[in-house]
Amino acid sequence: MRSEKEDAFHIVDVSSVTPGPRRATIRTSLRASDGVPIEAVHTPLAAPGTGGAAGGATDTAIVVAHGFTGSVDRPAVRRAARAFGRRAGVVTFSFRGHGGSGGRSTVGDREVLDLAAAVRWARELGYARVATVGFSMGGSVVLRHAALHKDVARERTDAVVAVSAPARWYYRGTAPMRRVHWVITRPAGRLVGRYGLRTRIHDRDWDPVPMSPVEAVPLIAPVPLLIVHGDSDPYFPVDHPRMLAAAGPAELWLEEGMGHAENAADDALLARIADWLSVP
């Protein structure tokens, strides 16, 4: 069930968007470069007096990449969008296989194309500066996107934050990650994903195996990079963020008592991330 009423948004085709709608709330369907339709929402900077930046104008958009089994309408994603919207315009979207997007999840591989479509849309809306922030699976995607698309003018990012991201693939060192792998790799697990978690998962193994997040980090510079991770994360222990931060120029925030991803990121942390992203 969606957490916000659909009629609160204007339904438009992305091909009709011009820089003018930067001040409008818009729900649309984008198309990734491989043809998969991706649902997306643009939320403008909050008006002055409601916590928005002074003057009510910004040249920065923050594109939010959710975690596995998330979607554009999940409460934690909308909460992050509201927090970020006090500092910048915000684009949220559902990865393939999630929410109202098409296709099936490849759990971090071709999702880079979904993020690229969302960044491209933010630039089409007229934002001069576009930053990305990703949670968990979305954290791995923002890292790989920043490395792979940094020379594509319309799809590049100007700053990157990865929250609760894995450093390497196939990690099964915690009980929650063993459950995730069961959902991804077993037919019964994929049924649970589809009907219990509302996530449609591809049934094929990666071929070839994509660049890992830690391999992507050295390729991101000179784009600013922030790694955020909780020291109580039940999915990925702190060797993951430390490995990412050590792989290339990056700032590391280890958050005391924080759990995993967008559900564990409180409003104060989201505000700090928004401030970090909003400074050129």
Side-chain angles (χ1 to χ4, degrees):
M1 183 178 294
R2 287 177 173 166
S3 60
E4 300 196 27
K5 294 181 180 179
E6 188 165 302
D7 61 8
F9 300 94
H10 305 292
I11 312 301
V12 301
D13 188 297
V14 69
S15 63
S16 68
V17 171
T18 63
R22 219 172 73 175
R23 293 183 177 274
T25 299
I26 305 166
R27 181 185 289 269
T28 191
S29 180
L30 310 175
R31 195 163 293 275
S33 62
D34 62 352
V36 175
I38 302 298
E39 70 171 345
V41 174
H42 168 255
T43 307
L45 174 71
T50 62
T58 181
D59 284 327
T60 297
I62 297 174
V63 179
V64 180
H66 62 74
F68 184 59
T69 76
S71 76
V72 73
D73 289 316
R74 288 293 175 92
V77 176
R78 300 315 310 159
R79 181 169 59 86
R82 286 192 295 271
F84 295 154
R86 299 185 183 100
R87 299 290 187 275
V90 179
V91 170
T92 52
F93 66 97
S94 297
F95 281 120
R96 61 187 61 207
H98 294 72
S101 293
R104 288 181 289 175
S105 175
T106 63
V107 199
D109 181 10
R110 298 188 72 79
E111 282 74 11
V112 168
L113 305 180
D114 309 342
L115 177 57
V119 170
R120 186 168 62 247
W121 185 40
R123 295 201 182 277
E124 289 171 354
L125 287 167
Y127 290 100
R129 186 171 177 275
V130 179
T132 54
V133 53
F135 298 90
S136 191
M137 180 188 78
S140 72
V141 174
V142 298
L143 294 172
R144 295 182 59 246
H145 166 268
L148 296 171
H149 290 252
K150 70 177 183 180
D151 295 324
V152 183
R154 294 194 306 155
E155 297 175 356
R156 64 177 177 80
T157 184
D158 297 295
V160 187
V161 178
V163 183
S164 305
R168 54 195 185 275
W169 301 136
Y170 303 112
Y171 178 73
R172 293 178 170 86
T174 58
M177 282 307 299
R178 289 191 287 274
R179 290 193 293 269
V180 169
H181 279 276
W182 179 81
V183 169
I184 294 167
T185 62
R186 302 294 182 88
R190 290 191 291 273
L191 284 174
V192 170
R194 176 180 286 269
Y195 297 107
L197 303 174
R198 304 178 191 175
T199 303
R200 305 173 306 281
I201 305 164
H202 209 292
D203 60 359
R204 297 176 186 170
D205 292 338
W206 285 334
D207 184 20
V209 175
M211 173 192 295
S212 70
V214 73
E215 291 172 324
V217 167
L219 306 178
I220 294 173
V223 173
L225 171 60
L226 172 64
I227 306 295
V228 181
H229 209 93
D231 65 3
S232 299
D233 191 316
Y235 288 81
F236 303 114
V238 296
D239 62 310
H240 284 260
R242 286 174 174 152
M243 185 182 299
L244 291 171
E251 187 173 342
L252 174 61
W253 295 356
L254 279 178
E255 298 297 309
E256 184 178 358
M258 178 185 165
H260 186 67
E262 56 263 59
N263 290 316
D266 62 23
D267 289 348
L269 175 59
L270 293 170
R272 285 166 51 210
I273 291 172
D275 286 340
W276 189 93
L277 284 168
S278 300
V279 176

